[in-house]
Amino acid sequence: MVDRFGRTIEYLRLSITDKCNLRCRYCMPKDGVTPVSHDDILRYEEITRLAGIFAHLGIRKIRITGGEPLVRKGVCDLIGRLKSVNGVENVSLTTNGVLLRELAQDLKAAGTDGINISLDTVNEETFRKLTGFDGLPQVMEGLKTAFDRGMRLKINCVPVWGINEGDLCDIALFAKDRPVDVRFIELMPIGEGRGFTGISSNEVLYLLEERFGKSWTLSDRGSGPARMRSFAGFAGRIGFISPISQSFCSSCNRLRLTSTGFLKTCLYYAEGYDLKGALRGGASDEELARLITGAVKEKPAGHRFGEKKDAFEEKRMYQIGG
Ligand code: SAM
Ligand code: SF4
């Protein structure tokens, strides 16, 4: 699918739950969340059918996200099913890592092509303050298990003033002895994120260079919008994803499907398309395909964070999938 701005759309971020076993302060409200009823969540059969239609329309890469995708039972089976959908070339996962140690082997057996682990701190106290749980040792074990199993891993960190500015160099150190990418992602003013101040990519780079010396740009951008850099003596790479300070909307290739079957063409806007309603209302594959291609035609040019003009998305990140 090519949208009206000439962007080829081939990447689907697929949220399979809005439940999570952590409560990251910039993502989930601290006074709890209203759980979505089980019936409102797309079943795996429905997801697989939609994946077939998306793939027929040109989606080649699917990333499973949430909430925390590993808390939904049968996630490895789903990955296996998606891997066998004609046209889907890559199925990956974004996780907080808490359940990774238990599931790493099954994820590998299911054919998972890559795992992004969200890790904002390596300090147990900061982890507890940020997420509400004492889960850091579990995450570290999960990371090690997945690495030892030879899985393709990336570490994603959202730098936030007042939360993890003192941890960023230690997070970067994961790329020192291992050939993994560590990526710093700018906080977006969505949901709870609006109550915090993100640390910009340039500010993170400054902090890293103070500790590790000058870095240099790598011509390979890595997958997606990350700008990759290298530091002397590092086996892995350091990436910067800068939706706020250096928007990459002009090359955006993605769609998002929430766990309730709501199709979003841009993270910023509240608008979307009720695929679940159409699917459960008896729509044929052709009708669903028309709905999706119609949505892609309307994909906005880009987000408007920073302009504070229109009422943008009220959903939280855990409801959208990041
Ligand atoms: N629970 C999984 C995890 O944490 O990796 C998957 C879902 S989570 C919503 C996906 C990613 O979104 C995480 O890396 C998280 O740090 C990031 N995220 C959450 N809120 C954000 C915000 N306001 N701006 C930027 N990234 C955000
Ligand atoms: Fe859960 Fe991920 Fe949101 Fe943290 S960022 S609360 S782990 S969904």
Side-chain angles (χ1 to χ4, degrees):
M1 286 177 283
V2 178
D3 76 3
R4 64 200 155 123
F5 302 104
R7 299 172 293 194
T8 302
I9 309 300
E10 52 190 6
Y11 174 28
L12 176 69
R13 291 183 69 96
L14 178 70
S15 174
I16 60 167
T17 181
D18 64 343
K19 293 200 174 73
C20 188
N21 45 5
L22 297 181
R23 290 282 177 277
C24 301
R25 288 166 58 202
Y26 59 76
C27 179
M28 279 203 164
K30 62 171 179 292
D31 45 351
V33 300
T34 323
V36 172
S37 94
H38 182 70
D39 286 348
D40 282 333
I41 302 286
L42 286 180
R43 294 188 292 274
Y44 285 158
E45 297 72 38
E46 294 174 321
I47 292 176
T48 311
R49 178 176 166 208
L50 287 174
I53 300 169
F54 277 109
H56 180 71
L57 294 172
I59 293 294
R60 296 287 164 260
K61 180 176 170 185
I62 297 180
R63 173 170 297 281
I64 296 177
T65 176
E68 172 48 41
L70 296 188
V71 302
R72 183 160 173 189
K73 282 206 177 67
V75 57
C76 298
D77 289 344
L78 175 69
I79 290 173
R81 291 192 205 191
L82 295 175
K83 285 288 292 181
S84 60
V85 169
N86 211 358
V88 172
E89 292 166 4
N90 186 295
V91 180
S92 58
L93 175 85
T94 293
T95 173
N96 61 28
V98 172
L99 294 173
L100 193 52
R101 194 187 64 162
E102 285 149 69
L103 290 172
Q105 186 54 45
D106 290 349
L107 287 167
K108 182 161 189 194
T112 313
D113 291 294
I115 301 183
N116 286 0
I117 301 177
S118 304
L119 184 68
D120 294 332
T121 178
V122 285
N123 178 297
E124 289 191 25
E125 178 63 11
T126 309
F127 188 93
R128 194 180 56 72
K129 279 192 189 142
L130 169 64
T131 69
F133 289 87
D134 284 321
L136 186 61
Q138 260 170 281
V139 176
M140 300 309 274
E141 280 179 38
L143 214 156
K144 183 174 179 316
T145 309
F147 192 76
D148 291 346
R149 298 261 185 286
M151 304 200 70
R152 283 194 57 204
L153 296 186
K154 287 181 192 158
I155 293 174
N156 287 342
C157 169
V158 177
V160 183
W161 289 116
I163 292 186
N164 61 356
E165 65 268 34
D167 284 332
L168 304 179
C169 291
D170 290 337
I171 300 269
L173 279 174
F174 276 97
K176 189 155 194 306
D177 300 322
R178 313 171 188 86
V180 299
D181 288 353
V182 172
R183 291 131 31 112
F184 293 96
I185 304 176
E186 285 179 345
L187 180 79
M188 287 173 276
I190 288 187
E192 305 311 302
R194 287 182 220 169
F196 294 86
T197 307
I199 307 177
S200 73
S201 294
N202 277 346
E203 289 167 324
V204 175
L205 180 59
Y206 180 85
L207 290 170
L208 299 189
E209 290 196 335
E210 260 192 339
R211 165 104 171 252
F212 303 120
K214 279 282 164 214
S215 64
W216 58 95
T217 307
L218 295 169
S219 52
D220 174 11
R221 282 182 69 86
S223 59
R227 287 172 298 123
M228 305 307 296
R229 298 185 74 84
S230 196
F231 285 84
F234 274 58
R237 309 179 300 175
I238 303 292
F240 294 91
I241 301 181
S242 321
I244 305 300
S245 65
Q246 271 195 291
S247 144
F248 40 82
C249 299
S250 63
S251 58
C252 180
N253 64 349
R254 61 190 63 185
L255 298 175
R256 291 179 165 82
L257 186 64
T258 71
S259 57
T260 56
F262 189 71
L263 179 67
K264 283 177 67 65
T265 56
C266 177
L267 196 54
Y268 176 88
Y269 297 92
E271 283 87 21
Y273 303 79
D274 180 17
L275 287 193
K276 182 186 69 196
L279 183 143
R280 292 189 182 170
S284 64
D285 284 6
E286 291 70 28
E287 284 163 338
L288 288 166
R290 267 201 298 281
L291 201 57
I292 295 166
T293 47
V296 165
K297 269 206 193 96
E298 299 300 317
K299 184 173 161 72
H303 72 65
R304 300 170 75 183
F305 291 125
E307 291 181 33
K308 294 196 171 94
K309 271 194 177 143
D310 28 23
F312 54 78
E313 181 56 277
E314 285 302 325
K315 289 190 189 65
R316 270 58 182 240
M317 231 25 164
Y318 73 92
Q319 295 168 307
I320 303 172

